[in-house]
Amino acid sequence: MWTYIARRLLQSVVVIIGVTFISFIALQIGGDPTYLFVSERATEEEIEMVRRALGFDRPLHVQYLSFLGNLLQGDFGMSLSYRQPAIDIVLGALPATIELTLLSILVSVGLAVPFGVFAALYRGTALDGGIMTVAMFGQSVPNFWQGIMMILFLGLYLKWFPISGHVPFLLPLLQGDLAAAFGNLPMALYYLAMPAVAVGTYSLARNARLVRSSMLEVLGQDYVRTARSKGLTEYTVIVHHALRNAWLPVVTMIGLEFGFLIGGVVVIETVFSYPGIGRLVFNAINQRDIPVVQAAVVLLSMVFICLNLIVDLIYARIDPRVKL
Amino acid sequence: MTRTRLLAAAGASALLFGTTALATPPADTIAVGLSADITTFEPANISSRDNANIARHIFGTLYNITGEGVVTPDLAENLEISEDGLHYVYTLREGLACHDGEALTAEDAAYTFNRAKNPDNKFTGNTPGFVFSSIGFESAEALDDRRVQINLARKNPIAFGLIAEVYIHCKDSYEKMSLDEASANPIGSGPYRLASWTRGSEVVLEKVANPNSPAQMERIVWRIIPEASTRSAELIAGNVDIITNVAPDQIDAVNASGTAMVQAVQGTRRMYVGFNLSQPFREMPGGEAIQDPMVRRALQYAVDVPAICKQLLNFECVRATGIVNPPNANQSLTPYPYDPAMAEKMLDEAGWPRGADGVRFAIRFQAGRGRYLNDVNVVQAIAQYLEDVGLKIELDVMEWGSVYVPLIRQRNVGPLFFLGTGGALWSPLYDMTDLARVESGTNYTHWSDPRWFDRWADIAATDDPAAQRKIIDEMLQVFYDDGPWLHLYFQPDFYGVSNRVNFVARPDEKVYLFSTGLK
């Protein structure tokens, strides 16, 4: 297993270099970013001075190799907009997104599994039809629209939840301020509730369908029939025998989803004024803040790679047929 | 009480506290919802309007210009300008203090200017990037404790107003800080100091203890709420007192809420369709046609600007007559009416009759997306109006920041392009200096009419305001008749304002809350 982990980590270096290269080129396609950092009344000399100051006067390959060289020393450069180390800006926004992602996964998986299991157990009944109809609705509704509707109904009309904003939990926790972190926890969850549901609805619907089809497949297997014929309780058959095997595709999906959500919640972060990494990167791309984009890309790639690795390890653990 | 009940009670308390926290801001606090993130508190790097609105509460300026364009003293109480117009000597008020407790002196003011100019600092904000390049700033020096002299390379009739945009900060504190530290720890001399900044979320300012402070509220909370409908919801719910950039389609909802109203003001930003007259564009389809001033004038009649304002911007506007904001415009000019028949007649006379396919000439029309109010719909409407009089429009709407801005800055956009440029009310020359020279970076059209450009020397040659005004009016007449812009409107700004505060919106996009309080 250790050889497998080492090989995967080595592969990840190539992946990270690849994504930094692609993002670097993508940001350069629009033309010289210098113009975003000079006044419209700047003279050619002033534009040239700013271009030099920002390092955009160097050939592209030199800029990129310089970035890679600094990256090896853990230096992502200074944000062009914030004028602070780019990695600090990104790390400052990451905990908020992780909070949102974790809670939305929790909402998604916590509800998808019972929904999927019940739909499978009561296949063809009104309960199954109802759950699958709701699941289809969840997959069809754009999450930004759902978010705005939740704001208007649950936030503005019923006043049950805050309309927007964020109370940090992970950031003070990571900074070692346990009192602040746990003091904030109830409010953090309160503020997270609506965005987490808006983010999690799509994957909840998809996972419920996945669990249902997986359960249906498993429930028809010989070993389930054998378990029942041994006189085991229905609970034991479902939870300990059927569900354990039905889990496998769901675990894979959750791992992938976690990675996608961390970088892909920009719309919901914008709708709920949530200060996470998606919004940060979106703004950085618009402002051509290349160091921030690159720092985020590297960080998110590493998170994605690690998550995939963890999923593979879990997969091997819960399915003895899989050898690493 | 069992552990479960305790937890339930704690949860209920938290929710109750949360609900309380979501209620109207306290009586000594005003909350503002902004549409864009702010990035820095480094005074020499601030460039966006939202960022500047917050910073202005922390940093004083030598003079102040009101929303109506009236000049009032701020940190300085007197100004003397040398006869050659190259030296501005400001006298600071007595008893000024920095937020770090030190006295604010002329040395701090001179330091502010020279620090922003220092190339080692690599600043790119409004002060070094716009003010200094516009006025030809050379250096600043403290003559004594209260008098600071600003030295310019050339005489500039609008230098005074531009110098009033520079945020004065405090030498002792800034010399101790690295540039990193300075970007998050502003030490100014304004009525408020920074209490906290949660990046991407909110900025809290608290009032500086000073019996002479003009500030009414103890705290100002600036919340970053990018989504327009969320901002409106927060305003209607009473969680913020003021929001900027209300979407036109949400105005009725805010006004019907009973808790807030929308203040619509005609802003100073001049919206226009530019005609790129440069040689490379002359060779493109339509490029030759727009070289003719008669064609450009004909197209002025083709677009129904008041209808665009009303239908797409939810605002009754008066069409612009030129490059200068209405109070300072040539008052003898009247906006071009919407008269498509006149447009067609003039195009015929100019030698561009409709062909067998009904098309006079084809032309590309470029625009950016998402920068101006309802911009995509506006350019689509303009394109349709132009097609109605026989043009075949190739509409090219592109991403604003990464694609359109570089094209604009390189003056490489067109032949038709949609743009808005910031203006001011305190001087017509401020608005006109976009076209100070043929090769000016802001002369995106490459217009070169000597009846405009040669007159700048005439303006510089006289200090008589009446004579200057006469020259300005003549230049504006040329711009109206044969200029390189299809005149549109001054972009309206919509502010949502809670019924509990007495905020009055300004036309220049500045949100200054010094005199704002509760009703």
Side-chain angles (χ1 to χ4, degrees), chain A residues 77-278:
Chain A
M78 296 289 281
S79 158
L80 303 179
S81 308
Y82 294 92
R83 301 305 170 114
Q84 294 194 325
I87 191 67
D88 291 352
I89 305 287
V90 174
L91 286 174
L94 188 60
T97 300
I98 290 179
E99 287 167 7
L100 176 57
T101 307
L102 280 175
L103 198 64
S104 62
I105 294 271
L106 202 66
V107 168
S108 157
V109 176
L111 295 176
V113 172
F115 283 1
V117 169
F118 278 111
L121 290 177
Y122 296 94
R123 182 187 185 186
T125 65
L127 179 66
D128 180 25
I131 289 174
M132 285 305 103
T133 304
V134 172
M136 189 172 290
F137 183 74
Q139 277 190 289
S140 312
V141 172
N143 62 7
F144 71 87
W145 183 83
Q146 184 192 347
I148 290 173
M149 290 303 109
M150 291 173 78
I151 284 174
L152 293 179
F153 188 66
L154 300 176
L156 184 58
Y157 181 67
L158 294 175
K159 299 189 190 304
W160 286 357
F161 293 97
I163 289 168
S164 67
H166 168 245
V167 173
F169 166 70
L170 263 184
L171 189 63
L173 188 71
L174 295 170
Q175 289 168 341
D177 190 349
L178 298 185
F182 288 100
N184 284 353
L185 184 57
M187 287 300 287
L189 290 171
Y190 187 37
Y191 272 79
L192 268 169
M194 283 210 298
V197 170
V199 170
T201 300
Y202 178 84
S203 51
L204 159 63
R206 188 172 56 188
N207 288 338
R209 292 163 68 96
L210 197 64
V211 171
R212 177 183 178 272
S213 59
S214 194
M215 277 295 285
L216 285 175
E217 190 184 329
V218 168
L219 287 171
Q221 299 283 321
D222 288 345
Y223 71 89
V224 172
R225 196 175 306 117
T226 306
R228 282 190 172 126
S229 65
K230 278 164 57 184
L232 296 177
T233 63
E234 191 63 11
Y235 174 84
T236 308
V237 172
I238 300 299
V239 174
H240 293 288
H241 292 266
L243 190 57
R244 180 163 180 187
N245 287 305
W247 253 118
L248 295 175
V250 181
V251 168
T252 309
M253 187 56 75
I254 291 168
L256 291 173
E257 241 168 29
F258 194 88
F260 282 124
L261 285 178
I262 282 184
V265 290
V266 56
V267 175
I268 287 300
E269 287 183 353
T270 301
V271 167
F272 287 96
S273 309
Y274 196 84
I277 202 165

Side-chain angles (χ1 to χ4, degrees), chain B residues 37-93:
Chain B
D37 275 354
I38 61 146
T39 55
T40 184
F41 280 104
E42 166 53 61
N45 260 338
I46 289 167
S47 56
S48 79
R49 174 41 53 201
D50 283 331
N51 212 149
N53 279 337
I54 301 176
R56 180 62 184 86
H57 292 78
I58 300 172
F59 299 103
T61 54
L62 292 173
Y63 272 79
N64 185 37
I65 296 176
T66 68
E68 295 74 38
V70 178
V71 174
T72 57
D74 190 12
L75 299 178
E77 61 183 12
N78 185 46
L79 166 66
E80 293 166 36
I81 305 174
S82 65
E83 277 197 15
D84 59 6
L86 300 181
H87 308 287
Y88 285 57
V89 178
Y90 290 88
T91 305
L92 301 184
R93 287 193 287 121

Side-chain angles (χ1 to χ4, degrees), chain B residues 143-165:
Chain B
L143 302 179
D144 55 39
D145 263 6
R146 290 181 54 208
R147 291 190 310 142
V148 58
Q149 178 170 302
I150 313 293
N151 303 312
L152 309 183
R154 55 183 181 271
K155 184 179 177 181
N156 185 318
I158 58 168
F160 167 75
L162 293 174
I163 290 171
E165 293 183 15

Side-chain angles (χ1 to χ4, degrees), chain A residues 30 35-41 46 50 53 78 81-85 89 148 151 156 162-164 186-187 190-191 270-271 273 275 279 283 286 288, chain B residues 14-15 18 22 37 39 45 122 124 129-130 133 180 183-184 199-200 223-225 227 230 233-234 237 399 401-402 405 409-410 430 433-434 442 444:
Chain A
Y35 293 100
L36 292 176
F37 298 93
V38 295
S39 150
E40 55 189 20
R41 296 192 183 185
E46 286 160 345
V50 172
M78 296 289 281
S81 308
Y82 294 92
R83 301 305 170 114
Q84 294 194 325
I89 305 287
I148 290 173
I151 284 174
L156 184 58
I163 289 168
S164 67
M187 287 300 287
Y190 187 37
Y191 272 79
T270 301
V271 167
S273 309
R279 220 176 91 199
N283 288 337
N286 280 333
R288 308 285 284 282
Chain B
L15 286 180
L22 298 172
D37 275 354
T39 55
N45 260 338
K122 300 178 181 175
T124 58
F130 174 64
S133 57
D180 274 18
S183 67
R199 197 170 280 123
R223 290 184 51 196
I224 315 302
I225 310 174
E227 167 59 31
T230 311
E234 290 281 24
E399 200 278 319
S402 60
V405 169
R409 294 289 164 80
Q410 292 167 76
Y430 179 91
T433 46
D434 280 351
T442 42
Y444 305 118

Side-chain angles (χ1 to χ4, degrees), chain B residues 378-497:
Chain B
V378 169
V379 295
Q380 284 175 339
I382 294 168
Q384 186 57 55
Y385 279 121
L386 296 178
E387 294 214 332
D388 288 348
V389 297
L391 274 63
K392 184 172 171 22
I393 299 292
E394 182 200 334
L395 189 58
D396 182 11
V397 180
M398 53 194 90
E399 200 278 319
W400 170 262
S402 60
V403 184
Y404 195 59
V405 169
L407 284 180
I408 285 284
R409 294 289 164 80
Q410 292 167 76
R411 304 202 290 159
N412 196 22
V413 62
L416 298 182
F417 61 94
F418 178 72
L419 197 64
T421 56
L425 297 179
W426 52 269
S427 166
L429 293 173
Y430 179 91
D431 288 350
M432 293 166 69
T433 46
D434 280 351
L435 304 177
R437 292 171 293 128
V438 174
E439 62 277 10
S440 289
T442 42
N443 182 9
Y444 305 118
T445 61
H446 298 258
W447 189 48
S448 59
D449 194 322
R451 294 174 298 162
W452 172 280
F453 290 97
D454 290 354
R455 302 305 300 278
W456 284 103
D458 299 337
I459 290 176
T462 178
D463 288 327
D464 175 16
Q468 271 193 356
R469 183 69 243 185
K470 185 167 179 295
I471 299 166
I472 288 168
D473 282 345
E474 288 165 4
M475 292 170 75
L476 293 176
Q477 181 72 53
V478 171
F479 194 85
Y480 176 85
D481 292 335
D482 299 335
W485 289 12
L486 194 164
H487 309 305
L488 295 177
Y489 51 86
F490 296 92
Q491 178 166 272
D493 297 316
F494 299 110
Y495 298 87
V497 183

